[in-house]
Amino acid sequence: MRSDNVKKGAERTPNRSLFYALGYTDEELERPLIGVVSAYSEIVPGHMHLDKVAQAAKDGVRLAGGTPILVPAIGVCDGIAMGHKGMKYSLPSRELICDSIETMAQAHCFDGLVLVPNCDKIVPAMLMAAARLNIPSIVISGGPMLAGRQGGRKVSLSQMFEAVGGFKSGLIDQETLDDYTQHTCPGCGSCAGMYTANSMNCLSEAIGMALPGNGTIPAVYSARIQLAKHAGMKVMELVEKDLKPRDILTPAAFENALATDMALGCSTNSVLHLLAIANEAGVPMDLETINKVSARTPNYCHLAPAGPTHIEDLYEAGGVQAVMKQLADGGLLHTDLMTVTGKTVGENLKGAVNRNPEAIRPMDNPYSRTGGIAVLWGNIAKDGCVVKRSAVADEMLVHEGPARVFDGEEDAIAAIYAGDIKPGDVVVIRYEGPKGGPGMREMLNPTSALAGMKLDKSVALITDGRFSGASRGASIGHVSPEAAEGGAIALVQEGDRISINIPEGKLNVLVDEAELEARRAAWKAPEPKETSGWLGRYAKLVSSANTGAVLR
């Protein structure tokens, strides 16, 4: 066992004495040491109950003959960080979490890991760490929040942000806004739509690193605690069999994850994170790969913000496994791959059934014949950009309009709230990329304001930053190369005509190449926004969004 390096032999008696100081017994030290990495905190609603989930996982480890050891991980609440400098820290925190798990696992020679995340960057960070360390590991997330209720309908965080735009434009009053505020987020769990957190929790299942049910069992259900106990027991089986993450995270497994991503209509951030996880696993993957999978994969789900259903509805319909079963029946999944259950994908899917064709469209009636995410290229984005196609209104799939250019989110949101953005406009928000932001902020406030003002079906947004999974409309993010690195998005001028054609995968500014080259010659790189602290270091080391915004 790896842990023998810290507990066996005369040479390790000093190490053992420190385990005794912690209260461990000889009997416990004879067993495999399993790190239970919990992102529990009192600042993230999706994490406020992870102490209970982590304890259940520890119980499972003990039931199966291991010794669980709890260690912490940080986590940013993207909703609380949204719209101010705090959002610059969200994506960079992914790298900190991954590095810290590597540190704890290697320094203390854990034999296996139970990873307990729930929200946005924490899930991919833990999967990145598992791939990097390549010791037996399993993910057990905290589960989704139940939908809130407002005016007799189910709501989630996307409607809360959109309500601000409605209030600013006079479409709703203060009393209604207050009602949204009080009742949109009813308790613990990752916010109830197919936003980034739930996207990655579902994809942890699809890629084979979490047990069936991980993505959809609600946070408040006792079945979540039971699943955590089973995850703790299962990691001991993984240790015994020496089944490691890279045995599971194969190129074919990433294709399964991408196919499920497209069928579910996941957040565009899933592209960024799958690229980063693939990088740690040593699996080649790029935007071309993603587009190829999208082109052949139907979109079966329109979960919030794309439609009225929420993760609890997906759970009742049969969950991720029901979606994967339809993909498998259509010949769109690799079913012979090993997963953390100790069984293959195909074996896991036996008995899966779609119980609600309203939440999961049947095979012969998808929302679209292609996936929920599309990658676009053009003279603005020579290295690509990403849009959540399933959340774009039909009338905005092809659009041309004048550029309204802003060198940062704050100026854009001020213009939107002031009523300066008109139907037909294409809002360009730049210098918000991985380096330029730095940190590649999410643009949920601008997209939600437009949606709340009923402009999401007539105004497009383009950015080298990111869009939240809660964004809807023609919100095109991850434009690469980014403005801070001299990408063509930096050359767009106010009033330039911009052409968007999502079905054909095209994004272009309608300016001839000679004019763009003249603008390029006159362009000067801006001064870095952050030069000290973690963000200053991050800006120097981070790669482009089209490669996952990983550190080099």
Side-chain angles (χ1 to χ4, degrees):
M1 290 189 291
R2 273 168 47 96
S3 59
D4 287 350
N5 289 312
V6 294
K7 65 186 187 183
K8 292 286 187 180
E11 300 84 0
R12 295 295 180 244
T13 52
N15 311 62
R16 267 201 316 281
S17 71
L18 294 168
F19 278 101
Y20 293 148
L22 288 161
Y24 290 102
T25 65
D26 288 331
E27 291 81 1
E28 289 172 302
L29 297 182
E30 285 297 320
R31 300 175 175 184
L33 302 184
I34 306 299
V36 178
V37 186
S38 171
Y40 165 75
S41 75
E42 296 180 346
I43 192 60
V44 186
H47 291 194
M48 62 188 283
H49 64 305
L50 291 190
D51 55 338
K52 310 296 189 300
V53 178
Q55 182 59 54
K58 288 174 64 180
D59 292 344
V61 170
R62 287 197 185 278
L63 282 168
T67 297
I69 300 175
L70 185 71
V71 294
I74 64 167
V76 170
C77 177
D78 278 20
I80 294 175
M82 195 71 67
H84 58 94
K85 182 177 179 178
M87 179 47 69
K88 294 186 178 186
Y89 287 89
S90 177
L91 184 59
S93 75
R94 187 186 71 181
E95 316 308 312
L96 290 177
I97 296 163
C98 180
D99 290 351
S100 67
I101 293 171
E102 176 193 0
T103 300
M104 296 300 284
Q106 296 289 53
H108 304 105
C109 295
F110 294 144
D111 296 301
L113 293 173
V114 180
L115 302 165
V116 189
N118 208 28
C119 290
D120 295 80
K121 310 309 160 297
I122 301 90
V123 184
M126 291 193 177
L127 284 168
M128 289 165 66
R132 182 187 297 179
L133 288 161
N134 203 34
I135 61 175
S137 303
I138 191 168
V139 172
I140 170 62
S141 302
M145 186 185 293
L146 294 177
R149 298 292 190 276
Q150 196 282 325
R153 65 180 180 130
K154 289 182 179 180
V155 293
S156 54
L157 192 64
S158 54
Q159 286 100 337
M160 179 69 256
F161 274 88
E162 290 172 14
V164 178
F167 176 73
K168 290 281 188 179
S169 59
L171 295 176
I172 65 172
D173 59 18
Q174 182 69 53
E175 183 179 358
T176 303
L177 183 65
D178 291 343
D179 189 39
Y180 271 105
T181 308
Q182 290 292 332
H183 300 115
T184 294
C185 298
C188 67
S190 47
C191 296
M194 187 53 81
Y195 312 143
T196 305
N198 289 322
S199 294
M200 295 310 301
N201 286 328
C202 288
L203 296 184
S204 297
E205 232 181 284
I207 209 166
M209 287 295 294
L211 298 178
N214 182 74
T216 58
I217 296 172
V220 295
Y221 284 17
S222 59
R224 175 61 54 177
I225 296 300
Q226 293 166 348
L227 192 73
K229 290 177 181 177
H230 284 296
M233 289 186 269
K234 190 60 67 173
V235 79
M236 296 305 299
E237 185 178 316
L238 299 177
V239 170
E240 182 181 352
K241 294 179 177 178
D242 198 31
L243 183 60
K244 300 185 179 78
R246 291 191 194 178
D247 300 325
I248 295 168
L249 296 173
T250 62
F254 278 92
E255 288 191 10
N256 281 358
L258 285 170
T260 308
D261 190 334
M262 300 306 163
L264 287 169
C266 291
S267 164
T268 52
N269 284 319
S270 63
V271 170
L272 199 69
H273 298 321
L274 286 173
L275 287 167
I277 297 162
N279 176 70
E280 294 291 352
V283 171
M285 193 168 85
D286 56 24
L287 294 183
E288 290 281 5
T289 304
I290 292 165
N291 239 19
K292 287 176 183 176
V293 175
S294 181
R296 65 177 184 248
T297 309
N299 174 231
Y300 295 131
C301 301
H302 269 191
L303 295 142
T309 51
H310 295 80
I311 303 298
E312 63 192 64
D313 302 306
L314 179 61
Y315 171 65
E316 297 294 342
V320 175
Q321 300 296 299
V323 175
M324 293 180 71
K325 182 65 163 59
Q326 290 191 181
L327 291 171
D329 289 346
L332 296 170
L333 281 190
H334 303 278
T335 57
D336 58 344
L337 306 182
M338 184 54 62
T339 71
V340 292
T341 65
K343 300 177 182 178
T344 64
V345 171
E347 289 171 325
N348 291 341
L349 294 178
K350 287 180 180 177
V353 63
N354 180 1
R355 296 192 291 266
N356 182 359
E358 297 298 318
I360 306 171
R361 285 268 185 103
M363 289 177 64
D364 60 356
N365 186 32
Y367 283 100
S368 66
R369 296 290 171 185
T370 56
I373 291 176
V375 180
L376 316 181
W377 283 271
N379 62 0
I380 298 178
K382 290 186 176 179
D383 292 338
C385 56
V386 183
V387 62
K388 187 172 183 175
R389 176 178 176 152
S390 60
V392 179
D394 288 345
E395 53 265 50
M396 290 299 291
L397 290 172
V398 178
H399 179 75
E400 182 182 315
R404 304 298 311 280
V405 181
F406 303 94
D407 290 345
E409 179 189 10
E410 286 80 5
D411 289 345
I413 193 69
I416 293 168
Y417 284 154
D420 294 339
I421 303 302
K422 306 301 181 186
D425 286 349
V426 179
V427 176
V428 177
I429 306 175
R430 62 193 181 190
Y431 297 104
E432 290 285 6
K435 286 184 179 294
M440 204 179 179
R441 287 193 290 181
E442 288 182 346
M443 304 289 148
L444 180 55
N445 276 351
T447 59
S448 298
L450 290 172
M453 294 175 173
K454 309 301 182 186
L455 291 171
D456 56 297
K457 294 182 179 179
S458 60
V459 173
L461 290 94
I462 299 171
T463 183
D464 52 6
R466 299 179 294 129
F467 288 111
S468 166
S471 292
R472 63 185 172 101
S475 306
I476 301 168
H478 307 193
V479 170
S480 302
E482 63 175 288
E485 291 199 308
I489 191 173
L491 310 179
V492 177
Q493 294 182 0
E494 185 82 7
D496 285 348
R497 303 292 294 181
I498 291 179
S499 172
I500 300 166
N501 191 319
I502 294 173
E504 293 184 7
K506 295 178 181 178
L507 174 67
N508 289 286
V509 58
L510 302 181
V511 174
D512 64 53
E513 195 60 32
E515 171 62 19
L516 286 178
E517 285 305 313
R519 293 180 188 180
R520 187 180 303 281
W523 177 80
K524 293 182 180 179
E527 291 294 318
K529 294 178 184 175
E530 303 287 343
T531 57
S532 62
W534 162 229
L535 289 181
R537 295 198 303 277
Y538 179 84
K540 293 176 182 177
L541 298 172
V542 70
S543 71
S544 180
N546 68 297
T547 58
V550 297
L551 298 188
R552 300 297 188 191

PDB file of all heavy atoms in Angstrom, residues 190-208:
ATOM      1  N   SER A 190     -26.658  22.280  -5.160  1.00  0.00           N
ATOM      2  CA  SER A 190     -26.210  23.068  -6.311  1.00  0.00           C
ATOM      3  C   SER A 190     -27.438  23.582  -7.050  1.00  0.00           C
ATOM      4  O   SER A 190     -28.413  22.850  -7.238  1.00  0.00           O
ATOM      5  CB  SER A 190     -25.334  22.206  -7.226  1.00  0.00           C
ATOM      6  OG  SER A 190     -25.930  20.942  -7.466  1.00  0.00           O
ATOM      7  N   CYS A 191     -27.406  24.847  -7.462  1.00  0.00           N
ATOM      8  CA  CYS A 191     -28.584  25.538  -7.994  1.00  0.00           C
ATOM      9  C   CYS A 191     -29.312  24.691  -9.036  1.00  0.00           C
ATOM     10  O   CYS A 191     -28.709  24.027  -9.865  1.00  0.00           O
ATOM     11  CB  CYS A 191     -28.181  26.883  -8.564  1.00  0.00           C
ATOM     12  SG  CYS A 191     -27.526  28.002  -7.304  1.00  0.00           S
ATOM     13  N   ALA A 192     -30.651  24.749  -9.037  1.00  0.00           N
ATOM     14  CA  ALA A 192     -31.509  23.678  -9.518  1.00  0.00           C
ATOM     15  C   ALA A 192     -31.573  23.460 -11.025  1.00  0.00           C
ATOM     16  O   ALA A 192     -32.181  22.505 -11.484  1.00  0.00           O
ATOM     17  CB  ALA A 192     -32.932  23.914  -8.999  1.00  0.00           C
ATOM     18  N   GLY A 193     -30.978  24.340 -11.825  1.00  0.00           N
ATOM     19  CA  GLY A 193     -30.999  24.160 -13.273  1.00  0.00           C
ATOM     20  C   GLY A 193     -29.785  23.404 -13.782  1.00  0.00           C
ATOM     21  O   GLY A 193     -28.921  22.987 -13.015  1.00  0.00           O
ATOM     22  N   MET A 194     -29.728  23.240 -15.118  1.00  0.00           N
ATOM     23  CA  MET A 194     -28.560  22.603 -15.729  1.00  0.00           C
ATOM     24  C   MET A 194     -27.482  23.673 -15.923  1.00  0.00           C
ATOM     25  O   MET A 194     -27.106  24.048 -17.030  1.00  0.00           O
ATOM     26  CB  MET A 194     -28.935  21.932 -17.061  1.00  0.00           C
ATOM     27  CG  MET A 194     -27.801  21.093 -17.666  1.00  0.00           C
ATOM     28  SD  MET A 194     -27.100  19.868 -16.544  1.00  0.00           S
ATOM     29  CE  MET A 194     -28.299  18.539 -16.683  1.00  0.00           C
ATOM     30  N   TYR A 195     -27.001  24.158 -14.767  1.00  0.00           N
ATOM     31  CA  TYR A 195     -25.931  25.136 -14.755  1.00  0.00           C
ATOM     32  C   TYR A 195     -24.603  24.370 -14.669  1.00  0.00           C
ATOM     33  O   TYR A 195     -24.562  23.146 -14.799  1.00  0.00           O
ATOM     34  CB  TYR A 195     -26.111  26.107 -13.586  1.00  0.00           C
ATOM     35  CG  TYR A 195     -27.516  26.681 -13.462  1.00  0.00           C
ATOM     36  CD1 TYR A 195     -28.091  26.896 -12.212  1.00  0.00           C
ATOM     37  CD2 TYR A 195     -28.271  26.996 -14.589  1.00  0.00           C
ATOM     38  CE1 TYR A 195     -29.375  27.419 -12.094  1.00  0.00           C
ATOM     39  CE2 TYR A 195     -29.548  27.517 -14.481  1.00  0.00           C
ATOM     40  CZ  TYR A 195     -30.102  27.724 -13.228  1.00  0.00           C
ATOM     41  OH  TYR A 195     -31.363  28.229 -13.115  1.00  0.00           O
ATOM     42  N   THR A 196     -23.512  25.066 -14.431  1.00  0.00           N
ATOM     43  CA  THR A 196     -22.206  24.402 -14.496  1.00  0.00           C
ATOM     44  C   THR A 196     -22.059  23.307 -13.449  1.00  0.00           C
ATOM     45  O   THR A 196     -21.550  22.216 -13.734  1.00  0.00           O
ATOM     46  CB  THR A 196     -21.075  25.437 -14.334  1.00  0.00           C
ATOM     47  OG1 THR A 196     -21.241  26.465 -15.312  1.00  0.00           O
ATOM     48  CG2 THR A 196     -19.718  24.777 -14.519  1.00  0.00           C
ATOM     49  N   ALA A 197     -22.489  23.562 -12.227  1.00  0.00           N
ATOM     50  CA  ALA A 197     -22.309  22.572 -11.161  1.00  0.00           C
ATOM     51  C   ALA A 197     -23.021  21.274 -11.495  1.00  0.00           C
ATOM     52  O   ALA A 197     -22.435  20.186 -11.454  1.00  0.00           O
ATOM     53  CB  ALA A 197     -22.815  23.131  -9.838  1.00  0.00           C
ATOM     54  N   ASN A 198     -24.306  21.374 -11.838  1.00  0.00           N
ATOM     55  CA  ASN A 198     -25.052  20.158 -12.152  1.00  0.00           C
ATOM     56  C   ASN A 198     -24.582  19.519 -13.449  1.00  0.00           C
ATOM     57  O   ASN A 198     -24.639  18.297 -13.599  1.00  0.00           O
ATOM     58  CB  ASN A 198     -26.552  20.459 -12.190  1.00  0.00           C
ATOM     59  CG  ASN A 198     -27.104  20.738 -10.803  1.00  0.00           C
ATOM     60  OD1 ASN A 198     -26.706  20.114  -9.828  1.00  0.00           O
ATOM     61  ND2 ASN A 198     -28.012  21.694 -10.704  1.00  0.00           N
ATOM     62  N   SER A 199     -24.122  20.347 -14.381  1.00  0.00           N
ATOM     63  CA  SER A 199     -23.536  19.791 -15.604  1.00  0.00           C
ATOM     64  C   SER A 199     -22.373  18.876 -15.259  1.00  0.00           C
ATOM     65  O   SER A 199     -22.294  17.729 -15.721  1.00  0.00           O
ATOM     66  CB  SER A 199     -23.048  20.920 -16.526  1.00  0.00           C
ATOM     67  OG  SER A 199     -24.109  21.703 -17.005  1.00  0.00           O
ATOM     68  N   MET A 200     -21.465  19.361 -14.427  1.00  0.00           N
ATOM     69  CA  MET A 200     -20.266  18.577 -14.120  1.00  0.00           C
ATOM     70  C   MET A 200     -20.578  17.398 -13.204  1.00  0.00           C
ATOM     71  O   MET A 200     -19.940  16.346 -13.297  1.00  0.00           O
ATOM     72  CB  MET A 200     -19.194  19.474 -13.501  1.00  0.00           C
ATOM     73  CG  MET A 200     -18.655  20.547 -14.441  1.00  0.00           C
ATOM     74  SD  MET A 200     -18.146  19.924 -16.076  1.00  0.00           S
ATOM     75  CE  MET A 200     -16.883  18.731 -15.629  1.00  0.00           C
ATOM     76  N   ASN A 201     -21.591  17.537 -12.335  1.00  0.00           N
ATOM     77  CA  ASN A 201     -21.998  16.404 -11.506  1.00  0.00           C
ATOM     78  C   ASN A 201     -22.604  15.290 -12.359  1.00  0.00           C
ATOM     79  O   ASN A 201     -22.373  14.098 -12.119  1.00  0.00           O
ATOM     80  CB  ASN A 201     -22.977  16.857 -10.428  1.00  0.00           C
ATOM     81  CG  ASN A 201     -22.298  17.636  -9.321  1.00  0.00           C
ATOM     82  OD1 ASN A 201     -21.155  17.382  -8.994  1.00  0.00           O
ATOM     83  ND2 ASN A 201     -23.000  18.599  -8.744  1.00  0.00           N
ATOM     84  N   CYS A 202     -23.380  15.682 -13.371  1.00  0.00           N
ATOM     85  CA  CYS A 202     -23.934  14.686 -14.299  1.00  0.00           C
ATOM     86  C   CYS A 202     -22.830  14.056 -15.145  1.00  0.00           C
ATOM     87  O   CYS A 202     -22.830  12.837 -15.383  1.00  0.00           O
ATOM     88  CB  CYS A 202     -24.977  15.337 -15.199  1.00  0.00           C
ATOM     89  SG  CYS A 202     -26.525  15.764 -14.357  1.00  0.00           S
ATOM     90  N   LEU A 203     -21.889  14.865 -15.595  1.00  0.00           N
ATOM     91  CA  LEU A 203     -20.820  14.345 -16.453  1.00  0.00           C
ATOM     92  C   LEU A 203     -19.825  13.481 -15.672  1.00  0.00           C
ATOM     93  O   LEU A 203     -19.173  12.614 -16.255  1.00  0.00           O
ATOM     94  CB  LEU A 203     -20.109  15.494 -17.161  1.00  0.00           C
ATOM     95  CG  LEU A 203     -20.987  16.294 -18.135  1.00  0.00           C
ATOM     96  CD1 LEU A 203     -20.171  17.349 -18.857  1.00  0.00           C
ATOM     97  CD2 LEU A 203     -21.691  15.387 -19.130  1.00  0.00           C
ATOM     98  N   SER A 204     -19.729  13.687 -14.353  1.00  0.00           N
ATOM     99  CA  SER A 204     -18.908  12.784 -13.521  1.00  0.00           C
ATOM    100  C   SER A 204     -19.452  11.366 -13.604  1.00  0.00           C
ATOM    101  O   SER A 204     -18.700  10.389 -13.629  1.00  0.00           O
ATOM    102  CB  SER A 204     -18.911  13.249 -12.057  1.00  0.00           C
ATOM    103  OG  SER A 204     -18.334  14.525 -11.927  1.00  0.00           O
ATOM    104  N   GLU A 205     -20.783  11.272 -13.663  1.00  0.00           N
ATOM    105  CA  GLU A 205     -21.457   9.984 -13.857  1.00  0.00           C
ATOM    106  C   GLU A 205     -21.172   9.434 -15.248  1.00  0.00           C
ATOM    107  O   GLU A 205     -20.805   8.272 -15.434  1.00  0.00           O
ATOM    108  CB  GLU A 205     -22.966  10.216 -13.744  1.00  0.00           C
ATOM    109  CG  GLU A 205     -23.700   9.329 -12.800  1.00  0.00           C
ATOM    110  CD  GLU A 205     -25.194   9.620 -12.790  1.00  0.00           C
ATOM    111  OE1 GLU A 205     -25.604  10.622 -12.189  1.00  0.00           O
ATOM    112  OE2 GLU A 205     -25.937   8.812 -13.381  1.00  0.00           O
ATOM    113  N   ALA A 206     -21.364  10.303 -16.251  1.00  0.00           N
ATOM    114  CA  ALA A 206     -21.247   9.873 -17.640  1.00  0.00           C
ATOM    115  C   ALA A 206     -19.846   9.402 -17.995  1.00  0.00           C
ATOM    116  O   ALA A 206     -19.665   8.483 -18.805  1.00  0.00           O
ATOM    117  CB  ALA A 206     -21.666  11.012 -18.567  1.00  0.00           C
ATOM    118  N   ILE A 207     -18.848  10.007 -17.376  1.00  0.00           N
ATOM    119  CA  ILE A 207     -17.466   9.664 -17.704  1.00  0.00           C
ATOM    120  C   ILE A 207     -16.973   8.458 -16.914  1.00  0.00           C
ATOM    121  O   ILE A 207     -15.886   7.928 -17.170  1.00  0.00           O
ATOM    122  CB  ILE A 207     -16.547  10.895 -17.491  1.00  0.00           C
ATOM    123  CG1 ILE A 207     -15.344  10.844 -18.439  1.00  0.00           C
ATOM    124  CG2 ILE A 207     -16.106  11.035 -16.028  1.00  0.00           C
ATOM    125  CD1 ILE A 207     -14.590  12.149 -18.532  1.00  0.00           C
ATOM    126  N   GLY A 208     -17.787   8.021 -15.937  1.00  0.00           N
ATOM    127  CA  GLY A 208     -17.470   6.798 -15.204  1.00  0.00           C
ATOM    128  C   GLY A 208     -16.799   6.978 -13.869  1.00  0.00           C
ATOM    129  O   GLY A 208     -16.379   6.005 -13.248  1.00  0.00           O
TER     130      GLY A 208
END
